[in-house]
Amino acid sequence: MSLIRHHVAGAETGTADRTGEVYDPATGRVQHEVALASEAETRAAVAAAAAALPAWRATSLIKRADVFFRLRHLLVERADELAAIITSEHGKVLSDAKGEISRGIENVEFAAGLVHLLKGERSEQVSRGVDVHSVKQPVGVVACITPFNFPVMVPLWMTASAIACGNTVVLKPSEKDPSASLFLARLYEEAGLPPGVLNVVQGDKVAVDTLLDAPEVRAVSFVGSTPIARSIYARAAANGKRVQALGGAKNHMVVMPDADLDAAADAAVSAAYGSAGERCMAVSVLVAVGDDVADALVAKVAERVATLRIGPGTDPGSEMGPLITGAHRDAVASYVTGAAGEGATVVVDGTAQRFDGDGFFLGVSLVDHVRPGMRVYDDEIFGPVLSVVRVADYDEAVDLVNTSPFANGTAVFTRDGGTARQFEFDIEVGMVGVNVPIPVPVGAFSFGGWRNSLFGDSHIYGPESIHFYTRSKVVTTRWPDPSESQISLGFPSNH
Ligand code: NAD
């Protein structure tokens, strides 16, 4: 069985002292072992990043941009290979894996514009003969810690902007699907990135804690579940680091009585069950405004899911693949089996569906009459389970969304522009869709939730990432006329 190792200073490193198992979720079999880095191995990766920093931050912007143009080309050229790696370790269907790659490429395209993005500002004559300008300089070594569910896109969310800004990086991908990050690191180097600028350390809490405590690490980007995001934020911030920690989600899709209910049902099915619900922007709560809307939507969703094809991600006929592990599949199923006891109605019970073999498959579930206070509503399930909450009117829908502890994404389905505009104004969530169920912003905007979906004050990728990965320096300049030289002990005033 092969051992997936680290990538440090351009070379493969790592021992098999401590390892984890990497499954093929479609068969349930262990296909690789992954090295779990020790403190010393993690520190070596940080040292490699620190050693590469002076030369990389001194590299001209045009040369840096060249790397991203070439990387984009390589990602397009090798997309099939990369998608196969994603599907093999994550389980999502190949078309979804390719979609993830194309969304990640948007971040590379954004980074290729770094010459424009890193422009500072200048004011002439702020005082007589005095000019001021600001520059954006790299923060230093950046640690990027990523979740299992987007093994290519989320590493690209972080690494593209961090590297474009002149930083060097230690990336710690999820130990559940670690191969894609190694592939990315090699692709970056093939595109011209010097060794040591992007290092990959495989591992678990040991590696993460070492990164959070390393003095050379100046900024931490994290994406994962809320409890871990909260603890990463606290530890990194206590160590004086800049930190953004994106957490879990429970995304509500509000359907108004005037909506096109067929379009809404199509959107709900795609957004709830795509990637087996293992998306931080998956719709997990359908908020139906009025019982008529709820009854119609429940019937339409149930009708649509009856023909969903669930199978291995490599089978072009599959629309949904397995879950990431057997333990996660069982945890997801427990929410469905427990829902009836909580007073909800299980309309479609995915736990009853049987599959051949030992893959981590689970059928899709639809649960009606769900209310806050039930586990099926309160917890992020992260699986193919869609809850329906019935509300009487628009105000109740907005209250429900605004009192959820999570606030990553939300959507409203309506044909009324006034309602849509009011929703945008009222709703307290980081990303909002109007007739768009998964409103993940394009690469030129930034991504991030509110409340327990993000700890820190910077959203990820896009313009906010340039701010996050740079430090601003302001320079005040005078080239005095020697004939006007004079001594003044007063505080400099510009008036
Ligand atoms: P996770 O929190 O279990 O793991 C994320 C990362 O943290 C991994 O690299 C993991 O190795 C590491 N980690 C896990 N436990 C740790 C610990 N105790 N100490 C230090 N590090 C630890 O998340 P996951 O299961 O890999 O991913 C799914 C979660 O990620 C879901 O909650 C999902 O909503 C969230 N997510 C959020 C976004 C977003 O943008 N907000 C995007 C994708 C995924």
Side-chain angles (χ1 to χ4, degrees), residues 81-92 97 100-101 151-152 180:
E81 232 176 301
L82 191 49
I85 293 174
I86 297 174
T87 295
S88 143
E89 294 184 1
H90 176 282
K92 64 177 74 173
E100 154 172 9
I101 295 168
V152 167

Side-chain angles (χ1 to χ4, degrees), residues 153-400:
M153 184 182 78
V154 173
L156 286 174
W157 280 3
M158 302 171 180
T159 57
S161 287
I163 291 170
C165 291
N167 302 285
T168 56
V169 170
V170 179
L171 167 64
K172 207 301 286 172
S174 168
E175 63 276 41
K176 297 189 178 105
D177 45 12
S179 296
S181 283
L182 283 184
F183 190 96
L184 282 181
R186 292 188 197 116
L187 227 52
Y188 261 108
E189 285 171 17
E190 202 179 322
L193 193 72
V197 176
L198 173 58
N199 306 278
V200 179
V201 161
Q202 310 292 356
D204 54 10
K205 184 170 165 46
V206 173
V208 172
D209 287 350
T210 308
L211 291 172
L212 299 181
D213 293 344
E216 302 93 323
V217 172
R218 301 307 313 148
V220 176
S221 291
F222 172 89
V223 173
S225 58
T226 288
I228 310 294
R230 185 184 273 118
S231 69
I232 298 274
Y233 180 81
R235 187 160 176 161
N239 285 336
K241 301 183 196 316
R242 190 175 285 191
V243 45
Q244 55 181 182
L246 282 74
K250 195 87 185 179
N251 304 310
H252 297 67
M253 172 175 152
V254 176
V255 182
M256 297 299 294
D258 68 348
D260 176 336
L261 295 187
D262 282 305
D266 286 346
V269 170
S270 313
Y273 305 120
S275 201
E278 290 174 331
R279 289 179 181 145
C280 61
M281 290 289 275
V283 166
S284 46
V285 184
L286 196 49
V287 184
V289 178
D291 278 329
D292 290 349
V293 172
D295 292 341
L297 275 177
V298 167
K300 286 175 190 295
V301 170
E303 184 195 323
R304 283 159 173 74
V305 299
T307 56
L308 272 187
R309 294 182 307 257
I310 302 173
T314 48
D315 179 345
S318 303
E319 292 169 281
M320 191 186 111
L323 280 92
I324 185 73
T325 60
H328 183 55
R329 186 254 329 265
D330 296 345
V332 172
S334 76
Y335 283 98
V336 180
T337 47
E342 294 184 295
T345 310
V346 179
V347 180
V348 178
D349 182 358
T351 68
Q353 194 169 346
R354 294 286 161 258
F355 297 90
D356 293 337
D358 297 321
F360 307 137
F361 293 99
L362 181 67
V364 306
S365 296
L366 176 65
V367 186
D368 195 3
H369 298 288
V370 170
R371 289 186 308 278
M374 298 178 179
R375 279 181 68 237
V376 69
Y377 178 83
D378 292 346
D379 292 358
E380 181 189 36
I381 300 175
F382 219 55
V385 180
L386 178 62
S387 294
V388 179
V389 177
R390 294 166 176 247
V391 296
D393 53 26
Y394 168 87
D395 288 340
E396 204 184 322
V398 168
D399 270 358
L400 180 78

